[in-house]
Amino acid sequence: MAMKAFFLTLVSFALLFLCQGTAFASTSESLAGRKIITVEVKGKNVKSPQRIKMALKTREGSIYNPAIADEDVKRLFSENLVEDASVFVEEVEGGVKLTFVVTEKRVISDILFMPEKGLYYTGTTLLDKILTKKGDFYSLALASQDEEIIVKQYQKKGYLKVRVTHVLEDAPDGVNLVYNIEPGPRYAISRILFPGAVAFSEKKLRRTMKTKKKDFFHGGYFDEDKLALDVDAVRRLYLDEGYLDVHVNVLPIQFPETPANYHYSDKLTFQLVIEIQEGRQYKVGPITFDGESVVSESELQSLMTLKTGDIARYAEVERSVKAIRERFGADGRAFTEVRPEIVPAENEGEVEIIMHINQSDVISVNEVIIEGNEVTKDNVIRREMRVYPGEKLTVKGLNTSFENLQGLGYFSNVSMSFAPRSEDTTDVIVRVEEGKTGSFMFGGGVSSDADVFANVSYTERNFDIGNWPKFRGGGQYGRLSFRIGTQMSGFVADYMNPHINDSDYEFGVGGSRTEYSRSTFDSARLEGHVSIGKHFGDFLSMRVVYTIENVKIDNLDASAPLPIQMDEGTHNLGSLAYIVTFRHIDNPFVPTSGTDARFAASIYNRILGSNYDFYKFEATYSRYFPMVTLKSGAVHTLMFQINSGYMKEYGDTAFVPTFERFYGGGIGSVRGWQPREIGPRIGEEAIGGNFKATATIEYSFPLYQDILYFATFFDAGGVWPQASDFESSGLRYGTGAGFYIKTPLSQAPLRLYYTHALNPKGDEDTQVIQFSFGILF
């Protein structure tokens, strides 16, 4: 009986509420067109009603319109003036009265995280992560987003059941925003299992994943988004080996019970189980092509990287699609679509690959539109483009344009899209996001000239000498560097314009001063140079450089070798160098593929201002091979490098002075030896040689994302008085391992090596720790 009465009461209240709402709506509509006598703003925390009124279109003396009143409420929210708002209308003598009931925005005096103790993150750390800041107006929507941000931060560290809520507390100057955090237990993955896996070992499958179990190097934290990518990576591993029916499923996680004596920092471990249903491995049967094509079937077959009888690797199918698209793109049919279809073939265990080709018309470029370049000038971007208005749009041109823009290192992101203008023309839209191109950095290193040194430099890779006072955006290069070392100090200043008036010609000028302190003498060198060059295509350039130098050798010790004593005094060097550079690598700082080669021929002559006549040849060739590419994108790289140099006096010059000869040892030469330790010596002092040769083989791969790399190497090389003195017995060998660490200070990584000399002589060091930090100029 009581339940029946309660139900009737509930229904009565509901009907009353609906009737009131209907009555209010009817009243609101029925009063439309009446004169507004009063507009009132009220609320428990309203401090500035006039400010609220100023934002309203509803005014005293105007005609009441319900639609305008509703728009006013929405406007209060959109202008971030209120947390809550509603409007009420009532009839008064002579017209109507409108009352806006609002909760005015309150200023956040402080942001707190509770409890004060026992949280994994400090309040300062969380303040940097959330969107709301002290002094902002309180926003429920923003605070709710902050709750999700905090949850994500905790889940990254294993707090998978974390709960975050927020409350407001009154404060003298507004409100305190308090986030209450209940971390819950902390979890970590103890094992990753793959039941059903036969084709691949569990070790190989685990290496494919970014999710790792808890060990010395990994926290073992579970990330649902990362795991979804890992599942795709594992599935892709099978597809690329012909297992086209594979299924990869993550089984429900069984979390352990929380013990009574649990501490919030302890990790409770669980097993991550990924079930594999491999299916069979397929081979390629017939390969057919469907759709109209100007390319013959025989040529299309030749573009396929898969042949009948091969394992049906999906990666090869994709490479074939890319090759076919590029073939059509070479004729200007850049929008040609190639869709592969894999279906069962007549023979069991085989699949038929059907390439559906939707051939596009020949497309021409109408206009190239540049977007997003807030700093970099349009012309700097356009000169790197290889698609031009009025010409055919080619896939190769698009790819080269993209590589060129990425290779500049000016942008954090580059993308291209299209806006068709007609059936056979399109605009190419290039959108860039400006990156950091300037760096003020402190560094250091070991070089064959400077021993251990410290470096302070400012470099702007997107310099603009005409854009005062910002000096950015012109695609030029500027550098000012100061160095202090145990054996050397000095400065370097350089300027380079790689494209004079957007042409293929370049111009550079610079100078330097260095002072060396050797064991038996001191030297000082003042240098200035000017260069002009030309680019031939995207990878080849040639440059002519004129250099004038003044060298002073003084403070000789009585034990200084005779060749150095003969160089005492002041000397002038004038030279003209012809330099050829070929550089086609995927990354200027940590390459994984491509070729980097440089050849320089220099002549020193009295006509050029030199006290000596001699010539010098130097060549360096580096080749990078991507050996293994993981599904994560991480690349294992094998690098070969050879370096050689030769110099010879001529005319009235009897010998090349010691301060211009070659020296070996240290980074850039044979690691394992100290700088200048390799080569001809008299007593303890190196006197250098006229011929050098070095070879390096190095294997490197990332240990953690694109931040930490491991490298192991073998170096061989030497320096000889003359090329005719070369003997393999004079080669020095060094090996070792090291780490490359990318830091926010520079795109060039910190390089730290532990090196070992394999065939030392006498009292030469056999183990050396060598490092290089920053860009070595």
Side-chain angles (χ1 to χ4, degrees):
M1 190 71 176
M3 181 60 71
K4 183 177 181 180
F6 172 76
F7 178 75
L8 291 174
T9 302
L10 185 64
V11 171
S12 299
F13 273 113
L15 291 174
L16 179 61
F17 175 78
L18 291 173
C19 290
Q20 285 180 338
T22 304
F24 175 79
S26 300
T27 301
S28 174
E29 295 296 331
S30 64
L31 295 177
R34 304 284 294 275
K35 183 179 180 180
I36 300 174
I37 303 301
T38 305
V39 176
E40 182 181 3
V41 175
K42 66 179 183 178
K44 66 177 183 177
N45 74 323
V46 175
K47 296 180 180 179
S48 52
Q50 194 59 35
R51 184 170 71 105
I52 302 294
K53 280 188 176 183
M54 290 293 292
L56 303 176
K57 286 189 176 181
T58 301
R59 295 280 194 273
E60 294 174 355
S62 63
I63 301 303
Y64 170 58
N65 185 332
I68 293 177
D70 288 341
E71 288 177 5
D72 283 336
V73 171
K74 295 176 182 177
R75 188 176 299 105
L76 294 176
F77 281 106
S78 65
E79 295 185 5
N80 204 29
L81 295 173
V82 299
E83 296 172 20
D84 194 15
S86 56
V87 60
F88 299 91
V89 60
E90 58 182 305
E91 187 175 8
V92 296
E93 184 177 351
V96 295
K97 173 184 178 182
L98 269 70
T99 303
F100 287 85
V101 181
V102 302
T103 302
E104 194 171 9
K105 282 284 185 181
R106 291 166 284 181
V107 174
I108 298 172
S109 298
D110 201 1
I111 301 176
L112 305 173
F113 302 93
M114 302 299 291
E116 293 183 357
K117 297 181 178 181
L119 296 180
Y120 181 84
Y121 291 100
T122 64
T124 302
T125 302
L126 292 175
L127 280 173
D128 292 337
K129 300 292 183 183
I130 63 176
L131 303 175
T132 306
K133 305 299 178 186
K134 295 179 183 179
D136 291 351
F137 288 120
Y138 167 71
S139 167
L140 174 63
L142 213 56
S144 299
Q145 289 184 58
D146 288 339
E147 291 177 354
E148 292 300 317
I149 290 172
I150 296 171
V151 166
K152 287 291 186 183
Q153 291 299 313
Y154 271 83
Q155 287 178 341
K156 286 179 181 178
K157 294 301 180 182
Y159 296 96
L160 302 181
K161 298 182 180 181
V162 61
R163 292 183 67 251
V164 181
T165 57
H166 78 275
V167 295
L168 298 176
E169 295 179 350
D170 290 333
D173 298 324
V175 293
N176 291 335
L177 177 58
V178 182
Y179 291 97
N180 294 307
I181 303 172
E182 301 175 30
R186 192 180 191 193
Y187 297 99
I189 301 169
S190 60
R191 294 182 66 190
I192 303 177
L193 304 176
F194 300 89
V198 177
F200 300 103
S201 67
E202 290 196 350
K203 182 179 180 180
K204 184 175 181 62
L205 293 172
R206 284 194 294 268
R207 289 178 60 184
T208 304
M209 299 173 57
K210 290 186 176 180
T211 301
K212 304 295 182 182
K213 69 176 183 177
K214 179 180 176 294
D215 56 25
F216 182 78
F217 296 102
H218 305 96
Y221 303 124
F222 176 85
D223 185 318
E224 192 170 353
D225 295 335
K226 185 188 294 184
L227 181 62
L229 296 175
D230 288 338
V231 168
D232 288 339
V234 171
R235 182 182 296 112
R236 184 55 189 260
L237 181 66
Y238 275 92
L239 291 175
D240 288 347
E241 288 298 326
Y243 294 90
L244 305 180
D245 297 330
V246 65
H247 291 279
V248 182
N249 302 298
V250 180
L251 299 186
I253 296 173
Q254 302 295 324
F255 291 108
E257 294 291 333
T258 306
N261 60 345
Y262 174 76
H263 186 268
Y264 75 92
S265 64
D266 295 338
K267 294 181 182 179
L268 305 179
T269 59
F270 64 92
Q271 293 183 348
L272 180 63
V273 183
I274 301 175
E275 184 182 54
I276 308 291
Q277 298 175 22
E278 294 182 339
R280 71 180 304 160
Q281 186 182 46
Y282 289 92
K283 291 191 174 183
V284 178
I287 300 175
T288 58
F289 302 90
D290 176 58
E292 183 181 357
S293 171
V294 295
V295 182
S296 67
E297 182 169 339
S298 60
E299 186 176 357
L300 291 173
Q301 288 283 2
S302 69
L303 294 171
M304 294 292 297
T305 59
L306 280 172
K307 306 299 179 185
T308 300
D310 292 348
I311 294 174
R313 294 184 170 89
Y314 196 77
E316 297 302 324
V317 175
E318 291 181 326
R319 290 191 184 95
S320 300
V321 168
K322 181 181 178 182
I324 294 172
R325 284 197 69 249
E326 289 181 348
R327 170 62 183 85
F328 280 92
D331 292 337
R333 303 177 187 274
F335 292 164
T336 296
E337 297 176 357
V338 182
R339 180 177 60 84
E341 182 182 7
I342 301 175
V343 299
E346 291 184 3
N347 295 332
E348 187 177 355
E350 289 186 354
V351 292
E352 179 182 359
I353 299 175
I354 307 171
M355 291 292 189
H356 297 280
I357 299 174
N358 183 11
Q359 176 180 277
S360 76
D361 295 330
V362 175
I363 304 296
S364 297
V365 179
N366 178 63
E367 186 178 356
V368 177
I369 300 171
I370 311 295
E371 296 180 350
N373 53 321
E374 299 174 357
V375 175
T376 306
K377 294 179 178 179
D378 267 24
N379 64 296
V380 176
I381 297 173
R382 291 185 186 280
R383 68 195 186 198
E384 302 297 334
M385 297 297 295
R386 297 299 178 264
V387 292
Y388 308 101
E391 296 188 4
K392 292 180 182 179
L393 178 65
T394 66
V395 174
K396 181 180 179 181
L398 289 170
N399 292 340
T400 304
S401 301
F402 182 81
E403 291 174 1
N404 288 350
L405 292 176
Q406 287 279 58
L408 288 175
Y410 300 167
F411 310 113
S412 59
N413 188 43
V414 178
S415 61
M416 295 185 186
S417 58
F418 309 96
R421 293 300 183 186
S422 65
E423 291 184 356
D424 57 0
T425 63
T426 184
D427 289 342
V428 178
I429 302 172
V430 181
R431 179 157 189 83
V432 299
E433 294 180 17
E434 299 281 4
K436 296 180 180 180
T437 56
S439 63
F440 181 78
M441 55 178 289
F442 297 89
V446 178
S447 76
S448 60
D449 288 328
D451 202 9
V452 179
F453 68 87
N455 183 82
V456 180
S457 68
Y458 174 75
T459 302
E460 175 55 66
R461 292 176 293 107
N462 192 8
F463 188 68
D464 187 352
I465 198 170
N467 184 17
W468 188 89
K470 295 182 179 179
F471 296 110
R472 291 187 65 205
Q476 302 160 19
Y477 175 84
R479 172 179 56 132
L480 184 63
S481 175
F482 297 89
R483 295 191 288 185
I484 299 176
T486 57
Q487 294 184 0
M488 182 272 284
S489 62
F491 73 88
V492 178
D494 267 326
Y495 167 79
M496 171 66 74
N497 186 341
H499 295 277
I500 303 171
N501 295 329
D502 295 329
S503 69
D504 289 329
Y505 290 92
E506 66 176 42
F507 171 79
V509 65
S512 65
R513 177 175 173 80
T514 53
E515 296 181 357
Y516 294 85
S517 177
R518 306 298 185 188
S519 59
T520 62
F521 69 97
D522 294 337
S523 70
R525 181 186 293 250
L526 182 64
E527 172 267 346
H529 63 266
V530 61
S531 68
I532 188 167
K534 189 178 189 304
H535 299 272
F536 298 87
D538 296 308
F539 314 118
L540 179 65
S541 64
M542 299 182 184
R543 180 182 306 133
V544 177
V545 184
Y546 173 71
T547 304
I548 186 71
E549 301 175 83
N550 178 268
V551 181
K552 184 178 181 181
I553 306 295
D554 59 6
N555 296 327
L556 270 71
D557 188 85
S559 62
L562 180 60
I564 295 176
Q565 292 184 24
M566 294 175 66
D567 289 335
E568 185 177 12
T570 301
H571 313 265
N572 292 323
L573 295 174
S575 66
L576 196 65
Y578 182 70
I579 302 172
V580 180
T581 302
F582 180 85
R583 196 173 211 205
H584 187 193
I585 52 179
D586 60 343
N587 186 301
F589 303 106
V590 186
T592 61
S593 66
T595 300
D596 194 356
R598 183 179 186 272
F599 173 79
S602 305
I603 185 168
Y604 294 74
N605 190 273
R606 299 178 193 278
I607 298 177
L608 301 172
S610 177
N611 296 142
Y612 301 89
D613 296 335
F614 64 97
Y615 52 84
K616 180 191 300 184
F617 300 103
E618 289 186 87
T620 300
Y621 177 84
S622 303
R623 187 75 170 90
Y624 299 87
F625 299 92
M627 304 302 292
V628 179
T629 301
L630 304 181
K631 301 306 176 183
S632 63
V635 179
H636 288 225
T637 306
L638 182 65
M639 184 270 283
F640 291 99
Q641 183 182 84
I642 56 174
N643 175 278
S644 64
Y646 172 78
M647 64 177 65
K648 181 69 175 176
E649 65 279 355
Y650 68 92
D652 295 333
T653 299
F655 54 86
V656 178
T658 57
F659 49 81
E660 278 302 297
R661 298 176 187 175
F662 297 124
Y663 296 85
I667 293 176
S669 178
V670 182
R671 289 163 287 188
W673 270 265
Q674 300 282 6
R676 298 172 65 96
E677 195 170 20
I678 295 177
R681 310 174 68 85
I682 296 179
E684 298 298 319
E685 191 68 66
I687 61 170
N690 287 10
F691 178 72
K692 68 173 182 177
T694 305
T696 291
I697 180 171
E698 180 173 295
Y699 190 88
S700 62
F701 56 89
L703 289 175
Y704 178 70
Q705 298 180 359
D706 190 30
I707 298 174
L708 177 63
Y709 291 76
F710 176 80
T712 183
F713 63 86
F714 174 80
D715 294 339
V719 178
W720 294 266
Q722 302 294 336
S724 58
D725 297 320
F726 172 81
E727 292 181 356
S728 60
S729 60
L731 288 170
R732 301 300 185 91
Y733 304 104
T735 187
F739 295 96
Y740 301 161
I741 307 170
K742 283 193 173 182
T743 71
L745 293 176
S746 172
Q747 289 184 295
L750 161 66
R751 299 174 185 264
L752 179 66
Y753 300 101
Y754 174 79
T755 66
H756 184 75
L758 297 179
N759 58 340
K761 297 179 181 179
D763 59 352
E764 294 174 340
D765 293 330
T766 59
Q767 295 179 348
V768 182
I769 295 178
Q770 298 174 317
F771 68 95
S772 164
F773 187 24
I775 304 173
L776 298 182
F777 300 115

